[in-house]
Amino acid sequence: MDASGGAALGAGSRLDLEELAGASGAGFCQAFADQLARGFGADLVTVSALRIRQGEHLKVVASWFDGMPLGDFEYDARGAPCRDVVLRAAPQVFADRVQQLYPEDAMFIEENINAYAGVPLLDAAGAVAGLVQAAWRQPPGAALTAEAAATMQQFAPRLGAELAGMQESAALAALARGAGPGSLSPLAALRQLAVQMQRAFRVRRAFIAEYTADSPGCYRVLACCDGGLAAAGSGEELMPSEGAPCAFLQEGEPFLVPKGLQEMFPAQEAFRAQGVVSYFGMPLRDENGQLIGHFALLHDGEMAAGFQSSSLIGVCAARAAHELSRRRAERRRRQAEQALLLRRKAESLGLLAGTIAHEFNNLLAGMQGQSELALAHLEASHPAAADVRAVKAGLQDSARLMRQLLGYVRGARTPQPEACDLNRVVRETLALVPPECKLGKAVVLDLEAEELTARMDPAQAGQLLMQAVLNAVEAIGPGAGTVTVSTRRRSLGTAERQRLLAGRRMPAGPCVMLEVRDTGGGMARDTVARIFDPFFTTKPGGRGLGLAAAMGIISSHRGGLAVDSREGGGSTFRFYFPACEAAAVPAAGSAAAPEPRKRQARRILVVDDEDTVRRAVAGLLQLRGCEVASADGYDAALALIQTRGPFDGAVIDMSMPGRGGWETLSRLRQLQPGLNAVMMSGFAFSAAQAGYPELDGVQVLDKPFTKEKLYKALFR
């Protein structure tokens, strides 16, 4: 058969073969419909393409009806002879009485159609792609009807090829329109692509899935089109690959199940529910060759072996892989921006928090000392004693709040890391949580079987865990719920480091992970970005410093922190600590020798630029029977030690205008070597940071402090 499709018809053909030879695509289909109608006296001729393979919806691409084209439209084939042509993949010819054979075909009855001939059109893979059909009101006779059917069969290969070409061109054009840079988000582009794939391949279902680095062996369906309709979905649900056809895609090669899908994968109940019997899956790779996802086509009819050779497969794979890569790049960019935002917040808020804490702690130190002096001079039965004790308790609560604020900056205090077992820290900490604090929620342990040794300050790690658990309990809200505390040994890789909100510079390699997961309502993305801000809280009346302190603790440990949360799906907090091989045993004699116990101090120099603090500290020392000299700064302190020295001890404020506490002590020790001293500060920094490493062993008291702590530090 030549290009016109009519060489076998001979000179007696009713068609104009020369006209047909010069046409192609939709023009060829329309020319054939016109000539077939005129040559055989048909009242209706259509060339139609299947909307879904072996489905009941057809799209007319060329038509003749009483001498006029009908235009492009779709129709439901149920109850009509064309449905049998498609389902049986064989011609159907009825010289008369077609209305009696198909009484549900409303059009035949309305137009008084009595004779019909239809022929299936096949694609290159041998699957039905559409049909050509003719119908008559007045039966033309069996011979003419059979001749018309034979003519349609002679041209069926050419019509099938033209249909396939038109569909492929339309699909490629649709794919090209959807590839504009920045026109759609990656997720929207993938959902559009799923619809285009379902239409292009005329299958029952098409979907595109993404692999997840944090959940090997699982995938997320990001886009799906079922029966021509885009299926709604969040793309967040993880699906296991095991026992599913997509498990075969892990080898990086396409996978085809032409038929018998339900028997091959009996555990997949969805296949039976959807009525699909064939499957084609295509792995998707990024530009580095890494598997990042796959797309799959499922159908309720057989997929021939030639199906996977379609040129559209490669085009769709390239588009899907591009959008998946773009989605990953955008997610990494958002994570980097979020981490940068948090880091900048930490820097600016840390400076603010340190300033506020220093000023408040100075005020609290004076009030703390004055309240202790008042209690020392009041009888226990004095009416004012109870009120002063209440003031003292309030000051202590305020001091705790300030310590939490400092924890945002530096983990409440300089950590004292040691090699310890994370599992032991978890058990000991949770044993301290009172039942009433759990609010009826179940706290479940899922700990690594082996010991998890890491360098951490056990007290601070316990504080971090306690705060995370209590926050999780509150996040669940009223009713039942579960908080799961897990520990794992991990090897921190590049992808996981990029998801960290804090500690993105944490070195890759072995680490231990502490995870706290709740079944609460979850958080929106903008809330996650703010939960580590001091004083931010979603709880009415809350002060919201716990997570800010947690950020400070994990940062001071050079660890990492990640948060996974979505509205309606709960929250997961992960804390990473650098791992070490085993608990370090200090070598004999390696520990610093304790300082010899000094004689009880009697003549004490107090140096502080705040008058209320000086008077309060002096009063507490005088209660102990000390003689106290007070100075408001560096110059006054030097003058006192030169005129009234030597002193048995000194209590010096670390942060003072002009020359600070460390410089003051250094100069005092030059004048009086070996001077016993205690530093006090509302926001402490080390002697080494101040440039005086030789003073590193001097004890530091955080303001405010009790008289017991002052005596213990000074009179040790």
Side-chain angles (χ1 to χ4, degrees):
M1 185 175 291
D2 62 18
S4 71
L9 296 176
S13 171
R14 299 173 182 269
L15 306 184
D16 184 344
L17 303 184
E18 184 176 348
E19 178 189 356
L20 292 176
S24 63
F28 176 85
C29 294
Q30 187 61 53
F32 180 80
D34 293 346
Q35 291 194 30
L36 187 72
R38 288 193 296 264
F40 292 91
D43 298 296
L44 170 67
V45 176
T46 63
V47 179
S48 304
L50 281 183
R51 188 166 179 262
I52 301 174
R53 287 176 181 255
Q54 297 192 13
E56 294 151 343
H57 291 273
L58 294 162
K59 180 178 181 179
V60 173
V61 298
S63 59
W64 167 289
F65 184 62
D66 289 342
M68 296 290 292
L70 296 173
D72 291 346
F73 68 94
E74 294 185 8
Y75 67 96
D76 190 334
R78 284 176 294 185
C82 55
R83 183 171 185 269
D84 287 339
V85 174
V86 170
L87 292 180
R88 297 175 184 177
Q92 301 293 308
V93 181
F94 306 100
D96 58 15
R97 296 187 308 112
V98 70
Q99 291 185 36
Q100 288 78 16
L101 296 173
Y102 293 93
E104 296 180 8
D105 192 326
M107 180 184 177
F108 281 10
I109 295 173
E110 182 179 343
E111 296 296 335
N112 194 29
I113 299 297
N114 288 288
Y116 173 89
V119 173
L121 305 177
L122 308 182
D123 60 17
V128 177
L131 81 158
V132 57
Q133 57 186 346
W136 296 263
R137 292 187 178 93
Q138 294 296 326
L144 190 63
T145 306
E147 184 183 349
T151 300
M152 287 188 280
Q153 281 187 286
Q154 293 287 348
F155 279 87
R158 173 70 184 276
L159 288 167
E162 297 293 349
L163 271 188
M166 291 166 59
Q167 290 172 336
E168 184 166 319
S169 297
L172 289 171
L175 290 169
R177 285 195 302 272
S183 58
L184 291 173
S185 70
L187 187 58
L190 287 168
R191 290 174 176 171
Q192 181 190 76
L193 179 59
V195 173
Q196 293 168 346
M197 288 168 56
Q198 185 272 326
R199 291 175 177 173
F201 296 110
R202 306 185 310 282
V203 292
R204 177 61 59 186
R205 196 165 191 259
F207 70 82
I208 304 170
E210 173 187 53
Y211 294 152
T212 58
D214 53 343
S215 299
C218 295
Y219 63 92
R220 288 190 178 97
V221 175
L222 300 180
C224 180
C225 183
D226 195 340
L229 300 175
S234 65
E236 296 295 337
E237 183 181 0
L238 283 174
M239 308 289 290
S241 297
E242 185 177 358
C246 58
F248 291 87
L249 302 177
Q250 299 298 319
E251 299 177 1
E253 296 296 330
F255 180 63
L256 173 68
V257 181
K259 60 181 178 179
L261 182 66
Q262 297 178 23
E263 292 76 16
M264 186 177 293
F265 298 95
Q268 298 294 313
E269 297 180 0
F271 292 163
R272 288 191 293 275
Q274 297 164 3
V276 294
V277 299
S278 56
Y279 169 95
F280 174 76
M282 184 74 179
L284 303 174
R285 298 178 181 273
D286 63 13
E287 58 184 9
N288 298 319
Q290 179 185 1
L291 283 172
I292 56 175
H294 69 269
F295 74 70
L297 308 173
L298 298 102
H299 191 48
D300 51 12
E302 181 179 352
M303 289 188 193
F307 181 86
Q308 56 188 320
S309 62
S310 168
S311 60
L312 277 177
I313 293 290
V315 175
C316 292
R319 272 290 311 284
H322 170 73
E323 297 300 343
L324 283 180
S325 297
R326 191 160 68 97
R327 173 178 161 84
R328 286 194 168 191
E330 289 197 4
R331 186 164 56 237
R332 287 194 295 268
R333 177 183 55 78
R334 287 195 304 268
Q335 290 169 344
E337 289 175 351
Q338 189 177 39
L340 179 61
L341 177 63
L342 285 174
R343 188 160 58 250
R344 287 177 175 171
K345 282 183 178 180
E347 292 170 356
S348 58
L349 292 172
L351 178 61
L352 176 63
T355 303
I356 291 174
H358 176 261
E359 297 301 326
F360 268 84
N361 282 335
N362 272 332
L363 295 173
L364 293 175
M367 291 187 284
Q368 172 83 22
Q370 297 291 346
S371 66
E372 296 215 37
L373 285 173
L375 287 174
H377 290 96
L378 288 175
E379 297 290 337
S381 59
H382 194 284
D387 295 329
V388 177
R389 282 192 291 270
V391 170
K392 181 181 176 182
L395 291 170
Q396 290 172 344
D397 287 342
S398 300
R400 278 193 290 271
L401 184 60
M402 286 300 103
R403 282 194 294 273
Q404 282 190 327
L405 185 57
L406 286 175
Y408 171 74
V409 185
R410 54 176 171 78
R413 60 178 175 81
T414 302
Q416 300 176 1
E418 60 185 66
C420 56
D421 178 18
L422 177 60
N423 288 339
R424 178 179 60 81
V425 172
V426 170
R427 292 190 184 97
E428 291 178 354
T429 300
L430 294 183
L432 299 176
V433 180
E436 59 270 17
C437 291
K438 298 179 183 178
L439 304 177
K441 310 303 185 291
V443 178
V444 178
L445 292 183
D446 177 21
L447 306 184
E448 186 87 7
E450 300 177 354
E451 181 177 296
L452 297 180
T453 307
R455 289 195 59 78
M456 65 178 69
D457 183 321
Q460 288 192 5
Q463 176 189 343
L464 182 150
L465 171 60
M466 180 80 76
Q467 189 63 55
V469 169
L470 295 181
N471 277 7
V473 165
E474 292 183 353
I476 295 173
T482 302
V483 178
T484 304
V485 179
S486 305
T487 61
R488 292 291 184 271
R489 187 185 308 278
R490 300 290 286 269
S491 180
L492 190 63
T494 302
E496 198 163 7
R497 286 172 63 197
Q498 290 173 341
R499 291 193 294 273
L500 298 180
L501 296 181
R504 291 166 65 87
R505 296 182 181 178
M506 181 180 176
C511 66
V512 298
M513 182 190 72
L514 170 64
E515 179 181 279
V516 179
R517 184 173 68 254
D518 66 63
T519 57
M523 297 176 287
R525 183 178 299 169
D526 56 344
T527 302
V528 173
R530 297 191 61 196
I531 55 176
F532 298 102
D533 292 356
F535 302 110
F536 175 77
T537 178
T538 58
K539 301 185 288 289
R543 288 181 293 214
L545 281 171
L547 288 177
M551 175 73 85
I553 289 173
I554 202 67
S555 297
S556 66
H557 279 76
R558 299 181 183 272
L561 185 153
V563 180
D564 288 335
S565 185
R566 66 179 187 275
E567 289 184 286
S571 301
T572 301
F573 288 77
R574 297 186 184 92
F575 306 96
Y576 300 83
F577 296 91
C580 59
E581 292 301 323
V585 179
S590 62
E595 295 184 9
R597 184 178 183 85
K598 296 181 173 55
R599 64 185 178 86
Q600 184 168 320
R602 290 301 180 188
R603 301 187 70 250
I604 306 299
L605 174 63
V606 176
V607 186
D608 197 304
D609 61 302
E610 294 285 344
D611 180 62
T612 54
V613 177
R614 284 199 312 274
R615 288 191 288 108
V617 174
L620 294 176
L621 291 171
Q622 288 165 352
L623 284 179
R624 188 64 182 264
C626 298
E627 177 187 338
V628 179
S630 298
D632 63 0
Y634 177 90
D635 293 331
L638 262 59
L640 284 173
I641 203 169
Q642 289 171 335
T643 58
R644 296 177 56 182
F647 289 99
D648 297 307
V651 181
I652 305 171
D653 184 35
M654 188 180 297
S655 301
M656 296 185 294
R659 297 181 174 183
W662 291 115
E663 185 177 359
T664 300
L665 176 57
S666 178
R667 180 58 178 151
L668 290 176
R669 282 192 171 178
Q670 290 177 7
L671 298 174
Q672 182 182 325
L675 174 64
N676 180 34
V678 172
M679 302 299 289
M680 54 182 178
S681 176
F683 183 39
F685 52 91
S686 70
Q689 289 174 314
Y692 297 92
E694 70 276 8
L695 301 178
D696 197 46
V698 175
Q699 186 161 349
V700 177
L701 284 177
D702 288 329
K703 294 179 180 178
F705 46 80
T706 63
K707 63 180 185 298
E708 289 79 14
K709 288 185 177 180
L710 174 63
Y711 298 158
K712 182 178 180 181
L714 190 59
F715 304 142
R716 56 181 178 172

